[in-house]
Amino acid sequence: MLNEILLIVLSLVLLYFGASWLISGASSIAIRLGISPLIIGLTIVALGTSMPELLVSIKAALQGNGGISVGNVVGSNIFNIGIILGLSAMCYPIVVHAAILRTDIPLMLFSALLFLLFFIDAQISRWEGSIFLLISVAYTYFNVKKAREAKAAVKEEFAVALPIKQAYWLVDVLLIILGLSVLLFGSDLLVQYSVNLARRFGISDAVIGLTIVAAGTSMPELATSVVAAIKKQPDIALGNVVGSNIYNILIILGASSLITPLYASGIALSDGLLMLGLSALLVPLVRTGFVLQRWEGGLLFAIYLAYMFYLLWFNIMA
């Protein structure tokens, strides 16, 4: 069992560094091509931090472990709000701009609700996945259009937060190749040994997906958001979480289910409702003075800890 735990930890480390190298290489190439830093942040960085979830979910789906695929997404979205946004707000209160309330948070809520409707039969079919992907294309197009109209201060904030441009094109290409290779290897390790650990303890793939896998694949988002909050760049911290939650449902579940339909009877209605509930809770929290205060971050953090206690108690201890 110790070897399995160590290999899972190793896989999480590989996923973190793989995503970081991929983002660095892709962002550097985008900067060379003259693409706006804000567009890079909203697309390349947002998608790059979701690559661990994507590869792990696809790998699990291909191996018939739909519980890990769906649990990874649902658990990651809960982790993103409860832990990442909670910790970020506790580090530094997050100022919320009206634009994210008008578009991104409503779309995050809509995506979570659409997931619940599609998943009512405990599966995501190919046609449902296709709808997710079509919405993601429209959302990405809207983001790019919105970025071109953004204020100079917002563009400068994203420019400061982006990875630096590498000295040579070859370094960019090598970082992308290395990042993808490490992500593929890390995702393979994580799925294989998470399933082994679940079977050893007699718990479902879904619970492993909701806990270990979800937290592990969210490490790039955690690092990006907390560092942004410490640097007093709250737009990036909040935008990263909201954008990641949208892409997790639309692209990750969309792509995974398009490859093979996802069956995950182990995911309970309560898990999906908590994801939707936390997304909805953000609306009143961020509308109070348009600031997510430290105590509100603490509340989100406490809700996540209570959820983890509930999962582990009823699936392991009971």
Side-chain angles (χ1 to χ4, degrees), residues 134-149:
L134 286 173
I135 297 173
S136 74
V137 171
Y139 174 63
T140 303
Y141 171 79
F142 175 78
N143 264 343
V144 171
K145 183 180 179 183
K146 182 174 65 174
R148 291 185 176 133
E149 302 166 355

Side-chain angles (χ1 to χ4, degrees), residues 119-138:
F119 196 66
I120 200 165
D121 56 354
Q123 63 178 301
I124 301 291
S125 65
R126 283 191 172 95
W127 75 266
E128 290 166 336
S130 299
I131 292 175
F132 281 149
L133 287 175
L134 286 173
I135 297 173
S136 74
V137 171

